[in-house]
Amino acid sequence: MTIQVDMYQTVAVAVLVLFLGAFLRKKIKFLETFCIPAPVVGGLVFAILTCVLHSFGILEFSFDETLKNVCMVMFFTSVGFQANLKVLKSGGKSLIVFLLLVIILICGQNLLALGLSTVIGVDPLVGLCTGSIPMVGGHGTAGAFGTVLQDLGLPSASTLCTAAATFGLIGGSLMGGPLGRRLILKHDLLETAVAGDNTILVEDEEKHERSISMYAPAVYQLALAMGIGSVVSILLSKTGMTFPAYIGAMIVAAIMRNAGEFSGKFTIHMGEINDLGGICLSLFLGIAMITLKLWQLADLALPLILLLAGQVLLMAIYAYFVVYNVMGRDYDAAVLTAGICGFGMGATPNAMANMQALTDRFAPSVKAYLLVPLVGSLFADFFNTMIITFFINLV
């Protein structure tokens, strides 16, 4: 029996899942201690329930995911508004270094996938289904390149890529918070968080003070950037490359923010936009988690499970020992460690959720909140597409 759930009901279920996750985080110390995001907690409970119902042939849900994409685009539009040139200029070197780390991670994921597939004796294309296609790429890239691998002779490629992306979504969300927290507590990194970050955030809050009457204009600014951005996304898609749906909106939002900053002709209501973006992030994750199909993982053969386990180990080691040390061994580096686990195995919204869980508990990190969305959204998909194409041709 399949129950059709429309988009309004889907959002309602997602909100219930958010409340459930927040409740469980308060009641279960482990979840709070290790900074597991509330949408992930409640979503996993719901996903396990639906998996059991599906396995026994009792019930299955079919959710309308229309508003998931709307929330995703609106959240990243709010992130785009944060990218003013003054702050970006101050973190230019860090941006390049972090991007290089992500490129190395992408290459490492594909090399590991091909290497392990050779060792355990499976088709290299099966290995690529667990590499950077579903890991850094997430569900979007999995859907795009799954069909490419099918055309190359692997009929189950789309299913395998989607299942691996689902696994990565969970793994990256569960891994990031605990790793970041361990680094912060082990090295007493809170002492390094105050001087740089608080000043910038306080100045930003003073400049963009929240007002109830300004939430409507903030929504209008988001809507305008999303509308114009959709045209930019269409133009980008004409290049033949795969870009996330929110790229155009992020670019337009950044242009609007800087035009307002330098011209002084209009004000971008950043406080209100940040609040609206946070709400959309929670709703997006809630919908994403309740639509997980965990039974897809049960269908994976042992070799595929070994391949995914290898990706988890690579991500944990790379984030903890390489990213943290290269990015400065400070509080920002620890938050970046949590962030790269999110989009290194799933999607940028999961990276933001990992970092949000840490910063809500400890202290803000302007550097991490700038680098992860820019690299994870604007640059990672671009380089990932080229590198994946290279490895497919290599095979």
Side-chain angles (χ1 to χ4, degrees), residues 91-106 136 315 318-320 322-328 332-344 348 351-352 355 366-380 383:
K93 182 180 177 181
S94 296
L95 179 65
I96 295 173
V97 172
F98 190 61
L99 176 59
L100 289 174
L101 287 173
V102 172
I103 292 173
I104 294 171
L105 173 63
I106 292 170
V136 169
M315 186 73 259
Y318 188 78
Y320 192 86
V322 179
V323 174
Y324 170 68
N325 285 287
V326 173
M327 292 308 297
D332 288 328
V335 179
L336 283 168
T337 297
I340 200 172
C341 288
F343 78 78
T348 309
M352 302 305 293
M355 296 193 302
V366 170
K367 183 178 180 180
Y369 266 76
L370 285 171
L371 295 185
V372 168
L374 283 173
V375 173
S377 301
L378 290 172
F379 301 113
F383 285 102

Side-chain angles (χ1 to χ4, degrees), residues 16 55 57 104 114 138 177 185 206 211 242 280:
L16 290 176
S55 299
I104 294 171
L114 291 177
L185 297 180
E206 289 177 351
S211 170
T242 301
C280 290

